[in-house]
């Protein structure tokens, strides 16, 4: 395990008592703590051996921390619509419901693994998780409100406030065509239970295939409008170089595009790395996903990438949803190094090295794990 991965795996919980007071004992035990306040909590690697991440182990990313819990909070859909809607949880749950299993991945997941180093929260692999989300398709809400001609974006307004006026609000929008896609929803439940406060209660946006910065929590308003939202988190933050750049390069704003769809990726959960295992049958397990298309295959190499064997896949394959992969092989005594490489149905192949970018987004290089047999 690299040093940064190790930190996320355990040593981060060292600030123990403060975290327990803030988050409750169970969360503090389960998650790696990057910052306790606001909560930036990592899912340990060992959870990436199953389809659904238990809610207690689901990562948390927040810019300012949650507002007070208010399950009576209302959601206003207005702007360029014929009939504004003012809904509460009861009104939302009375509408036809949809359920989708999808990965929520922070754009900055893997930032710690980019070289040269990039400023920001040093996520290794723990800025991603998968849950089952239930709610109302956003397009049903927009159809009910009646979007007017000329509208092209929906601005997402939230109840969490920046700590002081000089700090920009976490204000974001998504294009109307992405809002109208079948799987984009306003969710009120996660893994079959009402959304918890840290995950956006009472409602949040779910945008399968797109990075977490679009999955707005603590939603209070959906404002239909002509232009994208204005502010730091749209025109400055969450942007990527339009074309690959040299590691460490400065990229002028006009050569950037929004960071939206996450590229194909796989991560090995087990072996964790660094352990000793008996000689004989070995098993490599992990998850693989892509925001661009369903996963087509996952290959594992134990000879440094010279030859690859196809792993077996478990779970439904769809865009933005992870599958579990499993590969068994026999090993004689000695060190083993396993690599995993995922491919998606649109021809995307996980690269040996990730494309460095100034914000450290979308790290997706081959994940390598080493252990000792015998
Ligand atoms: N209102 C609000 N929504 C938010 C954020 C936030 O700070 N405030 N962070 C976003 C980011 S960057 C990510 S990665 C996801 C994380 O969701 P989670 O905490 O449920 O894992 O929430 C998104 N939605
Ligand atoms: Mo994020």
């Amino acid at each position: 395990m690299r040093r940064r991965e190790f930190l996320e795996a355990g040593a981060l919980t060292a600030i123990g008592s403060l975290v327990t007071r803030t988050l409750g004992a169970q969360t503090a035990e389960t998650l790696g703590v990057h910052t306790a306040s606001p909560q930036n909590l990592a899912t340990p690697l060992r959870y990436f051996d199953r389809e659904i991440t238990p809610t207690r182990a689901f990562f948390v990313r927040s810019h300012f921390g949650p507002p007070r819990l208010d399950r009576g909070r209302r959601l206003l859909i207005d702007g360029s619509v014929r009939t504004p809607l003012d809904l509460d949880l009861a009104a939302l749950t009375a509408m036809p419901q949809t359920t989708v299993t999808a990965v929520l991945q922070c754009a900055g997941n893997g930032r710690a693994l980019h070289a040269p180093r990039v400023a920001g929260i040093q996520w290794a692999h723990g800025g991603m998780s998968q849950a089952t989300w239930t709610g109302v398709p956003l397009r049903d809400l927009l159809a009910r409100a009646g979007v007017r001609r000329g509208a092209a974006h929906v601005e997402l307004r939230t109840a969490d406030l920046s700590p002081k006026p000089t700090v920009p609000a976490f204000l974001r929008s998504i294009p109307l065509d992405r809002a109208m896609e079948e799987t984009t929803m306003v969710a009120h439940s996660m893994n079959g239970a009402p959304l918890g406060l840290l995950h956006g209660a009472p409602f949040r946006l779910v945008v399968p295939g797109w990075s977490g910065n679009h999955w707005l929590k603590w939603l209070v308003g959906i404002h239909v409008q002509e232009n994208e939202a204005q502010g730091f988190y749209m025109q400055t933050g969450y942007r990527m170089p339009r074309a690959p750049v040299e590691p460490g390069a400065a990229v002028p704003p006009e050569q950037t595009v929004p960071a939206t769809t996450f590229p194909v990726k796989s991560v090995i959960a087990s072996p964790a790395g660094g352990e000793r295992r008996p000689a004989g049958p070995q098993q490599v397990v992990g998850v693989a996903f892509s925001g661009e298309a369903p996963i087509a295959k996952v290959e594992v190499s134990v000879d440094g990438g010279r030859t690859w064997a196809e792993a077996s896949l478990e779970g439904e394959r769809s865009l933005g949803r992870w599958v579990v992969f499993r590969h068994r092989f026999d090993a004689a005594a000695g060190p083993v190094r396993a690599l995993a490489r995922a491919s998606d149905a649109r021809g995307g192949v996980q690269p040996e090295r990730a494309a460095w970018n100034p914000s450290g987004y979308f790290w997706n290089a081959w994940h390598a794990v080493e252990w000792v047999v015998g």
Side-chain angles (χ1 to χ4, degrees):
M1 220 183 308
R2 292 212 221 171
R3 187 173 161 271
R4 283 166 185 169
E5 294 178 12
F6 174 74
L7 284 175
E8 196 168 78
L12 284 173
T13 54
I15 37 178
S17 66
L18 164 68
V19 175
T20 307
R21 252 183 289 130
T22 326
L23 305 169
Q26 194 177 36
T27 302
E29 268 169 35
T30 316
L31 292 157
V33 180
H34 285 287
T35 63
S37 177
Q39 296 86 348
N40 286 295
L41 312 171
T43 300
L45 202 54
R46 65 177 183 279
Y47 286 95
F48 303 139
D49 65 349
R50 64 198 85 176
E51 278 187 66
I52 302 296
T53 312
T55 304
R56 66 174 191 287
F58 200 101
F59 90 101
V60 177
R61 164 78 180 110
S62 29
H63 289 77
F64 317 124
R68 117 193 121 76
L69 177 63
D70 177 6
R71 295 206 185 268
R73 196 174 285 131
R74 306 186 74 89
L75 176 64
L76 185 64
I77 297 163
D78 67 354
S80 195
V81 297
R82 277 183 286 281
T83 320
L85 307 177
D86 180 2
L87 307 167
D88 62 4
L89 198 53
L92 210 67
T93 51
M95 292 181 65
Q97 305 289 296
T98 186
T99 294
V100 169
T101 298
V103 182
L104 168 46
Q105 180 177 224
C106 184
N109 191 33
R111 179 177 290 127
L113 310 174
H114 276 293
R117 187 181 192 278
V118 172
I121 297 174
Q122 296 298 300
W123 302 101
H125 302 292
M128 65 178 202
S129 294
Q130 176 155 277
T132 293
W133 309 94
T134 300
V136 176
L138 180 52
R139 68 178 182 187
D140 291 1
L141 294 168
L142 294 173
R144 244 218 213 178
V147 173
R148 289 186 191 278
R149 195 192 285 261
H153 298 268
V154 300
E155 182 172 286
L156 292 322
R157 298 175 175 173
T158 66
D160 57 331
L161 300 173
S162 70
K164 48 184 182 192
T166 48
V167 175
F170 192 64
L171 182 66
R172 308 245 331 135
S173 63
I174 62 171
L176 187 59
D177 53 6
R178 192 63 180 77
M180 297 300 281
E181 267 182 38
E182 198 182 349
T183 55
T184 305
M185 76 165 95
V186 174
H188 52 71
S189 291
M190 174 181 177
N191 291 339
L195 270 184
L197 180 62
L198 290 179
H199 298 295
F203 353 87
R204 80 171 311 159
L205 203 67
V206 163
V207 192
W210 279 22
S211 47
N213 46 307
H214 305 91
W215 297 47
L216 282 289
K217 305 193 273 193
W218 312 298
L219 264 188
V220 294
I222 296 176
H223 192 261
V224 181
Q225 57 195 43
E226 250 173 64
N227 300 312
E228 66 175 26
Q230 298 297 305
F232 175 81
Y233 290 104
M234 291 297 297
Q235 286 79 33
T236 305
Y238 296 117
R239 299 185 71 86
M240 297 272 289
R242 186 188 303 279
V245 298
E246 283 301 313
V251 181
E254 63 279 8
Q255 286 170 26
T256 64
V257 293
T260 55
T261 307
F262 47 75
V264 63
K265 171 172 182 175
S266 66
V267 169
I268 298 170
S270 168
E275 66 266 67
R276 183 174 284 274
R277 297 207 156 186
Q282 308 290 314
Q283 178 171 254
V284 176
V285 186
V287 294
F289 57 98
S290 164
E292 281 160 2
I295 285 296
K297 66 176 175 183
V298 179
E299 298 159 294
V300 175
S301 175
V302 288
D303 58 9
R306 210 168 50 80
T307 63
W308 297 86
E310 216 169 309
S312 64
L313 302 184
E314 296 157 26
E316 208 180 295
R317 301 187 200 179
S318 57
L319 184 156
R321 174 174 178 151
W322 79 36
V323 294
V324 173
F325 68 88
R326 201 175 293 278
H327 176 62
R328 296 189 171 92
F329 64 99
D330 283 309
V336 178
R337 183 164 181 270
L339 296 167
R341 173 176 81 179
S343 304
D344 70 28
R346 263 191 51 189
V349 180
Q350 190 175 356
E352 182 171 2
R353 282 179 231 297
W356 186 94
N357 59 91
S359 297
Y361 295 145
F362 297 152
W363 184 89
N364 70 334
W366 300 347
H367 186 203
V369 172
E370 293 168 47
W371 68 101
V372 177
V373 168

